[in-house]
Amino acid sequence: MIEALARVVRPTLAFDLARVDANMQRIAAAAHAHDIRALFAAKSFPHPRVLELAANRLDGFDVASPGELATVPAGAIVSVADPTGAAITTGARARMIVACETIGQVCAAPRGAEIAIRISASITGLDPAMGAVLDGSGHRRSRFGLDDRASVAALRDAAAGRRVGLHVHHGPVTATSAGRFIATARAAIELADFEPAFIDLGGAWHGIADLAEAFAAIRAALPRSIEVIVEPGRAYADGAGFACGIVRAARSLGDREVRVVDLSRACHLRWSTFELVARAPHPGRGRRVLVVGPTCYEEDVLGEWTLEPGALELDDRMIVRGISGYALAWNTGFGGVEPADVVLRDGVH
């Protein structure tokens, strides 16, 4: 992949499909070993080839809009968590799980759809959320989900005759162990005050090094009678994503060098935590280089690294790794900057 990027002439996002496929197989095997259903968050990598891999390797999809629902195969499990509610009425699937926060959403769900009562990720007090609102006490709480027994009970009653479970999706705080998911699952079940048929623990699994161990711990912590569903997104692209930009301007500013590349964090690298692919400098020889994107946006900064003298000069290529599929989803233009090219290396059979 690095060799291929050395020849590009425009900002480029590149993904190794064989690595994505291997990740899907590994995560699915770890989940299935502990009787857990593994879905694919369609928004996390909306490319037809990746969706095809997910359909072949995983149990189904998580979607958040009618547009996403239209892209996934009809035979798969589909978990719908659409903030607007529009995808609820788009059409029923063989197994459709609808995340609901209101009685109106429950009533609008297609006949035969299962109801997942959405619980606030803030119920444990451990998970602040981006975009959260104040509850009057100075604490933040998630913009999604219910956090009181009466509201949960009302939705359960409205869903009478349907299979009813729970759905809780964590905020931007990255989990590093199963403990966070276990605490949230237990709090959600206690809030519901009834045994749900299933609990969907959503996404945010990419920070856990050993998913098999985490899944084992979660399954052991919850009653076997409760089906457990997970919706990884970024975890499936682990180690598969790279990006390349070209140095278009170079200048010195006091104690540091500045390089302007045509790869933009704001346009091309959203929701990616990446690192520079470069040789470490010899001790005492490194120089600080600030790398910025091509837009006029103040925060379009890729990073600051200590590099060998002569690295990242004018017209050189800069390669970073750790790019998520979300970068492809967000890939856009701004202020005359065009979207990045997208390359998928297809080694999948």
Side-chain angles (χ1 to χ4, degrees):
M1 184 65 76
I2 301 297
E3 293 77 9
L5 286 174
R7 298 188 294 271
V8 304
V9 296
R10 282 180 31 79
T12 301
L13 305 176
F15 297 92
D16 184 344
L17 277 182
R19 179 62 181 265
V20 173
D21 187 46
N23 288 339
M24 287 183 178
Q25 293 185 65
R26 173 179 55 83
I27 294 170
H32 295 164
H34 302 288
D35 196 24
I36 293 174
R37 309 287 166 264
L39 307 186
F40 179 75
K43 68 188 72 60
S44 71
F45 209 143
H47 190 281
R49 287 291 286 117
V50 177
L51 295 174
E52 180 183 350
L53 288 176
N56 292 333
R57 304 301 190 191
L58 305 173
D59 296 301
F61 296 86
D62 154 49
V63 302
S65 70
E68 286 186 351
L69 183 59
T71 67
V72 303
I77 298 172
V78 177
S79 171
V80 180
D82 180 359
T84 72
I88 294 175
T89 58
T90 300
R93 297 300 181 97
R95 184 180 178 191
M96 187 173 188
I97 302 171
V98 178
C100 298
E101 300 180 54
T102 68
I103 292 175
Q105 289 176 327
V106 172
C107 296
R111 180 180 299 177
E114 301 171 32
I115 301 301
I117 300 173
R118 187 156 190 176
I119 306 297
S120 171
S122 302
I123 57 173
T124 61
L126 302 174
D127 199 2
M130 182 179 296
V133 296
L134 294 175
D135 61 8
S137 66
H139 295 95
R140 298 196 302 169
R141 60 181 174 83
S142 173
R143 55 180 279 225
F144 295 114
L146 307 176
D147 59 7
D148 67 282
R149 290 180 185 274
S151 296
V152 172
L155 264 67
R156 178 200 59 200
D157 293 343
R162 298 177 183 264
R163 193 165 185 257
V164 179
L166 305 175
H167 179 115
V168 59
H169 199 101
H170 291 89
V173 179
T174 302
T176 57
S177 73
R180 172 172 173 234
F181 293 96
I182 292 171
T184 301
R186 285 174 168 166
I189 293 169
E190 181 180 355
L191 182 69
D193 202 23
F194 67 93
E195 183 173 285
F198 60 87
I199 183 164
D200 186 334
L201 294 174
W205 298 90
H206 53 282
I208 297 180
D210 191 337
L211 277 176
E213 180 181 0
F215 289 158
I218 291 168
R219 183 69 276 180
L222 301 178
R224 298 293 302 187
S225 54
I226 300 177
E227 179 185 20
V228 177
I229 301 170
V230 297
E231 301 175 354
R234 275 178 272 193
Y236 294 123
D238 181 42
F242 298 80
C244 181
I246 299 174
V247 179
R248 299 303 186 185
R251 54 181 177 267
S252 298
L253 294 178
D255 63 341
R256 64 186 175 185
E257 298 290 314
V258 176
R259 301 293 181 266
V260 181
V261 297
D262 56 9
L263 188 67
S264 167
R265 175 185 284 273
C267 295
H268 309 141
L269 303 177
R270 296 281 294 273
W271 289 16
S272 293
T273 302
F274 51 83
E275 60 183 5
L276 182 69
V277 178
R279 181 184 298 114
H282 292 287
R285 292 188 55 193
R287 61 174 183 174
R288 292 169 60 200
V289 179
L290 178 68
V291 182
V292 302
T295 73
C296 61
Y297 176 48
E298 175 69 28
E299 295 180 22
D300 193 4
V301 177
L302 281 74
E304 187 172 49
W305 293 279
T306 301
L307 303 175
E308 282 275 3
L312 289 188
E313 296 296 348
L314 194 64
D315 296 327
D316 284 349
R317 289 169 179 80
M318 184 199 75
I319 298 175
V320 292
R321 62 188 171 201
I323 306 304
S324 80
Y326 280 106
L328 179 146
W330 284 106
N331 186 23
T332 188
F334 171 76
V337 175
E338 296 181 352
D341 291 342
V342 176
V343 174
L344 274 69
R345 188 174 71 179
D346 193 346
V348 179
H349 302 286

